[in-house]
Amino acid sequence: MRFFTAGESHGPQLTAIIEGLPAQMPLTAEMINKELKRRQGGHGRGRRMQIEKDQVLITSGVRHGKTLGSPVTLTVVNDDWKHWTGIMGIEPLGDDVSPEDIKRQITRPRPGHADLVGGMKYGHRDLRNVLERSSARETTMRVAIGAVAKQFLHELGIQTVAHVTEIGGIITDESAYANLSIEELRTIVENNPVYCADEQASVKMVAAIDEIKGRGDTLGGVVEVVIEGCPPGIGSYVQFDRKMDGKLAGAMMSINAFKGVEFGLGFGMAKVPGSEVHDEIAWSEERGYYRKSNRLGGLEGGMTTGMPIVVRGVMKPIPTLYKPLESVDIDTKEAFAATIERSDPCAVPAASVVAEHVIATEMAKAIMDEFRCDTMEGLKEEITKYRQYVKEF
């Protein structure tokens, strides 16, 4: 399985092409639209989410609700495009270029964004040519692709969920959700304003977001993704680039504004001895091999263990501030306050949705690499046989 995304933040549309999906997998636009709506939600989102009502159009690779085995094309139209046709038009600017078109050119890069370095790399004097693609609007299609991946995993009995564990230094109490099933956790998260499973922490997070918005500033945080039902042995120890934790870490770090990733106890492992880190192995006739704990987050030696996969990522505060930081105009070289674009005071809840979907995508890709079959039913049979094999090993 492989995919590509294309499109600019204020362009006509966003597009994704997915190749390698097995045939006969159930897939509808509704399955994807549900996840796109979640990405646009969460307390702290800005005005752009009121403008765009993302709906996917499946234009290839699916017939009568099932995949064909050929490439699947997904398209999301940018509703705001109608206000940007002159500024973001495809055709060359004529002699009648308007003052508005000139005004929207950007020469003052924003600290923390791709603006300046992207302009240097691709030779753009109008930095809008950088920010239009580097924008987190691209994650719309990452979620759309991930929704397809989640449907693939669901068919194999593998479930995913994501939730917010920290915003602006406010940390959840793990005991509030430690004993919940993945279905119970998902229900709570999807009905919470900041996609958090700890109600007391959630109230404080909402207040912190409102307070920071009033100051023209932004907040970051931490999100956690959990995958249950994955069989052991996905990934490999034989080459560095086949290690599953490396792939998942790369996927998490590919999300806009993410600056750190950890599994299980994560960086907390530096504070405790090995006897309090590693997971003891047990066996029962009912379960086969399992771990008595899950401190390593479901991964050992670059492979899944069969335990829940637990991966967390940290998102920095969004660098587009309504109280802008100092920058330098690339034309005049004079100091100015950086350009202000529409922004969110906190996008951590939405980022948890993106994280869940990029992790689901990476897991789906890895499973397709391990079990090569052109039909969904054939793949199910292969994985069922493999699950029985590892149980009896």
Side-chain angles (χ1 to χ4, degrees):
M1 174 184 164
R2 59 177 179 164
F3 67 88
F4 293 94
T5 71
E8 280 71 50
S9 180
H10 296 96
Q13 65 184 39
L14 303 169
T15 305
I17 297 177
I18 312 170
E19 183 184 34
L21 291 170
Q24 304 301 320
M25 184 185 84
L27 184 63
T28 65
E30 288 73 21
M31 295 173 181
I32 301 171
N33 288 336
K34 175 188 174 185
E35 306 299 338
L36 291 178
K37 184 177 180 180
R38 289 180 58 224
R39 175 194 166 275
Q40 292 191 290
H43 191 74
R45 294 293 259 157
R47 194 166 64 86
R48 181 75 188 268
M49 298 306 105
Q50 300 169 14
I51 298 171
E52 304 290 356
K53 302 297 181 186
D54 293 337
Q55 297 280 299
V56 75
L57 182 65
I58 303 175
T59 58
S60 75
V62 178
R63 185 173 183 233
H64 302 320
K66 290 192 175 181
T67 56
L68 301 175
S70 51
V72 172
T73 304
L74 309 176
T75 300
V76 172
V77 173
N78 281 329
D79 292 336
D80 205 23
W81 159 247
K82 58 182 175 286
H83 300 121
W84 290 75
T85 53
I87 301 159
M88 290 296 296
I90 306 301
E91 298 301 321
L93 288 172
D95 296 333
D96 58 344
V97 57
S98 71
E100 179 68 17
D101 293 335
I102 299 298
K103 187 176 76 171
R104 291 297 183 98
Q105 292 183 4
I106 294 175
T107 59
R108 300 175 185 178
R110 300 163 296 170
H113 276 277
D115 301 353
L116 179 58
V117 180
M120 292 174 177
K121 180 175 177 66
Y122 292 103
H124 294 308
R125 301 303 300 181
D126 180 359
L127 301 181
R128 179 163 298 284
N129 291 329
V130 178
L131 69 87
E132 284 290 333
R133 179 58 183 170
S134 66
S135 164
R137 180 76 180 137
E138 186 267 348
T139 62
T140 303
M141 301 319 293
R142 303 284 293 282
V143 170
I145 294 163
V148 176
K150 281 180 63 177
Q151 173 60 18
F152 169 81
L153 296 175
H154 175 75
E155 289 290 307
L156 301 176
I158 301 170
Q159 303 296 326
T160 68
V161 70
H163 60 115
V164 172
T165 62
E166 182 176 352
I167 288 179
I170 300 165
I171 303 173
T172 57
D173 181 353
E174 189 175 340
S175 66
Y177 49 85
N179 297 319
L180 297 177
S181 69
I182 200 165
E183 292 83 6
E184 292 170 332
L185 180 58
R186 184 185 298 110
T187 299
I188 293 172
V189 168
E190 290 184 355
N191 289 282
N192 184 273
V194 287
Y195 301 162
C196 173
D198 179 348
E199 182 61 33
Q200 292 184 352
S202 170
V203 172
K204 296 177 182 178
M205 290 174 180
V206 169
I209 292 169
D210 291 342
E211 192 271 337
I212 208 74
K213 180 180 180 180
R215 288 163 45 191
D217 216 328
T218 57
L219 290 177
V222 177
V223 304
E224 179 177 278
V225 181
V226 181
I227 306 176
E228 283 191 358
C230 187
I234 306 301
S236 179
Y237 62 88
V238 301
Q239 288 290 352
F240 68 94
D241 58 350
R242 293 181 61 188
K243 293 186 176 184
M244 198 66 234
D245 36 6
K247 292 180 178 181
L248 295 177
M252 187 73 88
M253 292 299 292
S254 74
I255 304 171
N256 303 55
F258 273 58
K259 287 296 181 181
V261 62
E262 65 179 10
F263 298 87
L265 289 181
F267 292 101
M269 297 179 193
K271 303 173 184 176
V272 294
S275 59
E276 297 178 24
V277 170
H278 301 288
D279 303 309
E280 293 183 316
I281 300 171
W283 183 90
S284 72
E285 189 170 346
E286 179 183 358
R287 297 178 60 181
Y289 294 95
Y290 65 94
R291 304 303 188 276
K292 293 182 178 181
S293 57
N294 194 30
R295 299 163 183 153
L296 296 182
L299 295 153
E300 290 178 354
M303 299 168 289
T304 58
T305 64
M307 297 293 286
I309 296 168
V310 181
V311 53
R312 284 178 293 277
V314 58
M315 181 187 191
K316 69 180 182 180
I318 291 176
T320 299
L321 308 176
Y322 286 102
K323 184 176 66 178
L325 299 174
E326 188 173 286
S327 184
V328 175
D329 191 300
I330 64 171
D331 285 347
T332 67
K333 304 303 186 288
E334 296 178 6
F336 284 98
T339 300
I340 299 175
E341 292 286 310
R342 279 190 300 239
S343 182
D344 307 332
C346 181
V348 176
S352 71
V353 178
V354 179
E356 178 185 359
H357 287 78
V358 302
I359 293 297
T361 299
E362 204 60 42
M363 186 56 64
K365 288 171 60 180
I367 289 174
M368 290 182 207
D369 285 343
E370 296 279 349
F371 304 93
R372 296 181 179 272
C373 191
D374 292 328
T375 67
M376 196 70 228
E377 286 304 313
L379 191 59
K380 287 181 181 179
E381 292 175 9
E382 288 296 315
I383 290 186
T384 297
K385 289 191 292 186
Y386 178 74
R387 288 185 189 275
Q388 189 62 33
Y389 159 73
V390 295
K391 182 178 180 180
E392 298 173 352
F393 180 78

